[in-house]
Amino acid sequence: VQLQAFGGGLVQAGGSLRLSCAVSGTFFSINDMGWYRQGPGKERELVASITYGGFTNYKDSVKGRFTISRDNAKSTVYLQMNSLKPEDTAVYYCSARVSVRIGVLREYWGQGTLVTVSS
């Protein structure tokens, strides 16, 4: 199972970016999916998560600005980021809890994509 993230880049404060992350390989199903980030000198933190059924959870500082969604048919999770702030600058990682076979869940991570927000 592999996760491939796309969409990072350089944007001015107030701008928008959309990240996507596709899951590939052999698996039974994908449960929770999420986006984490790690800023300079900081620990990795959860930004947003989404269940298979579409229930979402957000870090307080991104509520109202970021939207997580998923396309189960494409095994892909998205993160729409609006009104970006310099403090959103970080490497963003996608994660997925994958049922590799019935009763066996494993967590996988993407390679990270850099988001830089200039002031």
Side-chain angles (χ1 to χ4, degrees):
V1 174
Q2 292 185 326
L3 276 64
Q4 185 75 40
F6 304 92
L10 174 64
V11 64
Q12 288 188 333
S16 298
L17 281 175
R18 188 190 195 210
L19 307 182
S20 61
C21 176
V23 182
S24 62
T26 302
F27 52 87
F28 184 71
S29 64
I30 302 173
N31 292 35
D32 296 352
M33 304 182 82
W35 288 96
Y36 290 73
R37 68 186 182 188
Q38 187 166 15
K42 298 181 180 180
E43 295 186 352
R44 190 175 297 190
E45 60 182 7
L46 175 66
V47 176
S49 63
I50 185 168
T51 67
Y52 181 86
F55 289 101
T56 59
N57 179 54
Y58 294 94
K59 177 181 172 61
D60 284 348
S61 63
V62 307
K63 287 180 180 178
R65 299 190 297 122
F66 291 11
T67 302
I68 189 171
S69 60
R70 64 189 285 173
D71 185 332
N72 292 327
K74 295 181 179 180
S75 300
T76 300
V77 62
Y78 306 95
L79 186 67
Q80 177 66 43
M81 304 184 293
N82 299 329
S83 302
L84 282 160
K85 303 175 181 180
E87 50 263 44
D88 294 318
T89 294
V91 177
Y92 284 71
Y93 299 89
C94 58
S95 74
R97 284 193 166 189
V98 179
S99 179
V100 294
R101 58 182 182 271
I102 296 177
V104 179
L105 274 177
R106 291 182 183 161
E107 187 166 26
Y108 294 88
W109 293 85
Q111 82 283 10
T113 184
L114 178 62
V115 172
T116 303
V117 184
S118 63
S119 57

